[in-house]
Amino acid sequence: MTVVVAARRSPIGTAGRGLRALLAHELAAPVLAAVHDDAARTGLLGADGAARSPGDVVLGSCTGPGGNLARVSALAAGLGTAVPGLTVDRQCGSGLAAILTAHQAITAGDTDYVLAGGVESASTAPHRAHRPGAAPSRDNVAAQPYARAPFAPPGFPDPDMGPAADDLAAARSVSRVRQDAYAAASHAKALTAQAAGTFDRELVPLPDLARDDRPRRLDVAILAKMRPAFTSGGSVTAATASPISDGASAVALVSDAAWSATGAPGVGRVPGLRIVAGAVVGCDPALPGWGAVPAIEAVLARARRTVSEVAVIEIVEAFAAQVLATTDALGLDPLGADSGRVCPDGGALALGHPWGASGAVAVTRLFSTLVVGGHPAGTLGLAAAAIGGGMGIAIVVEVVR
């Protein structure tokens, strides 16, 4: 097993705003350096913690510039030339996949300390084009730019995420009224948390942006007047879809043996989140937003737990419809009794959705809420994301002290 002993994130900026001038590695490097420093201060890295380097850096990213972004970021963070890097792409689940990959490496005995997370700079992501003569068009004559790579090959559904969210809302009977209410609630939670300084401990301020720029007060009466954003007659609007964003997040993971050696239970041990189980699943590519449901079901089964036993659930809020379809399937009421359990300080609708980082942001939020927030040992948290192409990813963690 492995234990998350530190977790940080950058402010999340709406694409084209405060973080628009920073390249992906420039977002990731200060976050990696900060979380490494946090881990060093725990004493888990030895008496001279700053000299102890991680065995690897694993970062998720969807639209990065290539060149092994994790390695570039590790070097930029000043971690030393001996620290390697691995970049993973599981689309919106990339940051969470990076953490599970690091967990697997530690569990296998390859290393006992890894930094893992995700980063996305939508503002500086490169434009892509098919080479001349190789464009996938009927006449095959010229280079063609494209907005995104396919999530699925020909013969399979390959919807953009917005129309897919409309389809999911229709398939699962998620009303426009509930979507508007959920988006407004997410922003209200985030504003409350921001005003209370809840995010301060986890944030690594960056040039031109010291805090998340997205949260604002939303009036459901005004939201009700907004037009569908993606399909005629659809229910998803610009307010109930997460914004394209820039940001980074990372956590420090150590082996359970290294953590256990620091002292007796509750006496001298560094508080953290032990990874109990992880799961990645596939689902119908036509309804990719559904992927979080089977992923959560799978990870709870592996952890031998039920959703009623989980204190805090962080679901990446790509769309309000997506979250509501997931919580409906799990028997949760995020607009009522479970408001304090599901994204209790708001989620991607309010903070922003830097695709490759969002899964790691969810784990960082769990760390702040459960560990920094003082929850007792044994308290469970869950993070999950639906993924383009029809996949889902989830993780169950428990507080250790």
Side-chain angles (χ1 to χ4, degrees), residues 160-240:
D160 285 336
M161 297 303 285
D166 275 325
D167 291 342
L168 180 64
R172 306 303 302 183
S173 300
V174 179
S175 70
R176 165 73 181 268
V177 171
R178 292 179 67 210
Q179 292 177 57
D180 288 347
Y182 186 87
S186 182
H187 280 265
K189 290 177 183 179
L191 284 172
T192 298
Q194 203 171 55
T198 302
F199 300 138
D200 292 353
R201 172 61 184 81
E202 68 195 39
L203 285 174
V204 179
L206 297 176
D208 299 322
L209 193 64
R211 67 177 194 168
D212 308 307
D213 69 14
R214 176 75 173 177
R216 63 196 190 280
R217 299 193 182 281
L218 298 182
D219 185 335
V220 291
I222 294 176
L223 298 188
K225 299 176 182 179
M226 295 182 68
R227 296 180 178 180
F230 301 104
T231 57
S232 177
S235 59
V236 179
T237 69
T240 59

Side-chain angles (χ1 to χ4, degrees), residues 65-92:
N68 192 357
L69 183 54
R71 168 65 170 173
V72 176
S73 299
L75 290 171
L79 297 176
T81 58
V83 178
L86 170 66
T87 305
V88 300
D89 180 357
R90 213 184 275 275
Q91 295 297 297
C92 294

Side-chain angles (χ1 to χ4, degrees), residues 101-161:
T101 298
H103 161 64
Q104 290 157 1
I106 292 173
T107 302
D110 295 340
T111 181
D112 64 357
Y113 171 41
V114 180
L115 299 181
V119 60
E120 208 71 66
S121 175
S123 293
T124 67
H127 295 290
R128 304 181 183 187
H130 298 288
R131 293 171 182 261
S137 59
R138 291 186 179 181
D139 52 8
N140 201 35
V141 293
Q144 295 180 357
Y146 58 93
R148 68 164 173 86
F151 295 142
F156 289 84
D158 187 19
D160 285 336
M161 297 303 285

Side-chain angles (χ1 to χ4, degrees), residues 30 48 67 87 126 175 197 310 361:
D48 185 11
T87 305
S175 70
V310 180
V361 170

